Amino acid sequence: MHAAFKVLAYKGNSSKGIRMKLRQMKKHQSGKIVKVTAEKEVGRRIRDMGLVPGATITIGNRAPLKDPVAIKVSDCVISLRNSEADCIEVEVEDE
């Protein structure tokens, strides 16, 4: 396992839930985007799809090799590569 993914989730500054990378969310899990760290063209594309801080998302299906992942945001379903999902920090409710 890659060193960056050893800690799956951590408590953020908020007491509402647990913060994690979008890539680490489970199927059908919902959360609110708190930060998008992608820059330049990738960051612009992610924000253009509606993946902005404050947006509520739900994880849909994943491809057999776990990449890409389908995400529901607003009334749309979009697909993201795991490399893009790593740039999005989400807060989910405690399970």
Side-chain angles (χ1 to χ4, degrees):
M1 181 176 276
H2 191 273
F5 296 108
K6 285 186 178 176
V7 176
L8 293 179
Y10 60 93
K11 286 283 189 183
N13 294 333
S14 172
S15 61
K16 293 181 183 178
I18 297 173
R19 287 189 178 188
M20 65 178 67
K21 299 289 184 182
L22 190 148
R23 179 181 191 173
Q24 298 167 317
M25 293 176 69
K26 298 174 185 164
K27 187 174 180 179
H28 303 299
Q29 190 172 25
S30 295
K32 185 178 281 191
I33 296 175
V34 293
K35 186 192 294 186
V36 177
T37 59
E39 297 178 352
K40 299 184 181 180
E41 187 67 24
V42 173
R44 183 194 59 78
R45 190 172 80 82
I46 287 172
R47 286 185 285 280
D48 285 349
M49 290 189 286
L51 298 171
V52 295
T56 301
I57 61 164
T58 303
I59 300 296
N61 293 321
R62 291 185 185 268
L65 297 176
K66 307 292 185 201
D67 192 21
V69 59
I71 301 164
K72 183 176 181 185
V73 59
S74 298
D75 291 329
C76 300
V77 177
I78 60 172
S79 179
L80 280 184
R81 297 179 194 113
N82 282 334
S83 60
E84 297 164 335
D86 284 337
C87 299
I88 301 171
E89 188 175 313
V90 180
E91 186 175 85
V92 297
E93 293 299 318
D94 291 327
E95 294 181 5

